[in-house]
């Protein structure tokens, strides 16, 4: 079955620095979504990428979908304490269900 | 819109007891999903419905788990009998052509 791998599992970042989390699928995806879960909270939808090579930005967050539609990345610039949480990628192939990666848990040093 | 509403928020039960988790999706959303989240296994899809019809229940761990969606505004996930390894956060999510909206979850503890 489809598997979505996400690295790194943990990211400890100094406030103000940049970081990137990566997502790889074993199969070609029709689209990929990103979610953020704050500690003790629930996953919150951030964005969906559909097209090969697509790049989307949300303020300090930049999302990319690979040319082969099998990988994706989330890059955060100038990390702030509000960025703390776990970021999940989730891939969709032929049916409607999403396969979630294990997530990257981000902590920020002030 | 109040979002996806789940109840109860917390449930503590003894092993062997029946547990029923409830979910009210967002009005107009035609897909409903039940997920389980644990530290060891992450987010696991248990079952999902489209227009109240179960489409894929391959993630349901075993026959002790069952889910229903009698109408577009209500779904239940039942565990009978419950076991300590069922302890987890159970999320319901609904969707219409795009991202999922998750409920706040039910934290289940089976002792």
């Amino acid at each position: 079955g489809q598997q979505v791998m996400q690295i790194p599992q943990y990211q400890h970042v100094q406030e103000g620095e940049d970081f990137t989390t990566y997502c790889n699928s074993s199969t070609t995806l029709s689209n990929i979504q990103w979610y953020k879960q704050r500690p003790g909270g629930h996953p919150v939808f951030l964005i969906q990428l559909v097209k090969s090579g697509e790049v989307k930005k949300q303020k300090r967050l930049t999302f990319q979908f690979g040319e082969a539609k099998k990988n994706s990345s989330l890059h955060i610039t100038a990390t702030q304490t509000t960025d703390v949480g776990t970021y999940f990628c989730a891939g969709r192939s032929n049916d409607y269900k999403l396969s979630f990666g294990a997530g990257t848990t981000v902590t920020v040093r002030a | 819109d109040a979002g996806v509403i789940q109840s109860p928020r917390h449930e503590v039960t003894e092993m062997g007891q029946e547990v029923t988790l409830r979910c009210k999706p967002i009005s107009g959303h035609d897909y409903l999903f039940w997920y389980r989240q644990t530290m060891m296994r992450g987010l696991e899809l248990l079952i999902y419905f489209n227009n109240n019809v179960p489409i894929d229940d391959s993630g349901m761990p075993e026959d002790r788990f069952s889910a229903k969606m009698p109408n577009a505004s209500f779904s239940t996930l039942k565990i009978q009998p419950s076991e300590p390894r069922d302890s987890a956060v159970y999320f319901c999510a609904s969707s219409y052509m795009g991202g999922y909206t998750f409920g706040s979850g039910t934290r289940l503890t089976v002792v």
Side-chain angles (χ1 to χ4, degrees):
Chain A
Q2 176 188 309
Q3 283 191 322
V4 174
M5 308 301 291
Q6 199 171 347
I7 57 170
Q9 185 176 0
Y10 298 99
Q11 184 80 53
H12 307 290
V13 189
Q14 180 71 41
E15 190 174 17
E17 292 184 341
D18 303 352
F19 76 90
T20 304
T21 175
Y22 300 90
C23 186
N24 289 287
S25 170
S26 56
T27 59
T28 302
L29 301 170
S30 60
N31 64 63
I32 196 158
Q33 299 179 5
W34 286 87
Y35 292 77
K36 177 182 179 181
Q37 184 175 19
R38 295 183 184 274
H42 57 275
V44 174
F45 174 72
L46 294 177
I47 208 161
Q48 175 174 280
L49 304 171
V50 179
K51 299 176 183 176
S52 171
E54 188 170 14
V55 178
K56 287 187 177 181
K57 291 190 175 184
Q58 287 181 351
K59 298 182 180 179
R60 295 179 294 102
L61 278 60
T62 301
F63 304 85
Q64 286 190 307
F65 201 9
E67 294 291 338
K69 300 183 75 172
K70 296 179 74 172
N71 58 75
S72 181
S73 65
L74 160 59
H75 181 77
I76 299 182
T77 58
T79 304
Q80 300 176 359
T81 55
T82 54
D83 296 324
V84 165
T86 300
Y87 294 82
F88 293 97
C89 63
R92 175 179 289 151
S93 32
N94 296 324
D95 55 20
Y96 199 79
K97 63 185 181 183
L98 288 174
S99 292
F100 279 80
T104 294
T105 298
V106 177
T107 55
V108 179
R109 299 189 300 273
Chain B
D1 197 329
V4 176
I5 300 172
Q6 290 187 246
S7 64
R9 289 295 308 273
H10 302 274
E11 177 80 39
V12 180
T13 191
E14 291 186 346
M15 182 173 61
Q17 296 298 305
E18 177 179 297
V19 176
T20 299
L21 311 181
R22 297 172 175 79
C23 175
K24 176 179 169 57
I26 290 175
S27 177
H29 282 192
D30 55 350
Y31 283 87
L32 183 140
F33 306 83
W34 282 100
Y35 281 85
R36 178 172 68 176
Q37 186 175 41
T38 61
M39 288 293 292
M40 290 297 294
R41 300 175 70 89
L43 274 165
E44 300 176 275
L45 176 65
L46 301 177
I47 185 171
Y48 78 97
F49 297 82
N50 178 219
N51 293 321
N52 314 338
V53 176
I55 303 300
D56 186 342
D57 65 354
S58 60
M60 295 286 259
E62 47 200 271
D63 291 345
R64 298 184 297 107
F65 285 69
S66 63
K68 294 181 179 180
M69 192 166 186
N71 57 63
S73 59
F74 185 65
S75 178
T76 59
L77 177 68
K78 185 177 294 186
I79 308 173
Q80 165 65 13
S82 58
E83 297 182 3
R85 60 192 168 123
D86 301 330
S87 297
V89 180
Y90 290 81
F91 288 107
C92 173
S94 69
S95 175
Y96 175 73
M97 293 182 64
Y100 294 6
T101 301
F102 282 78
S104 298
T106 295
R107 181 173 295 277
L108 174 65
T109 304
V110 183
V111 297

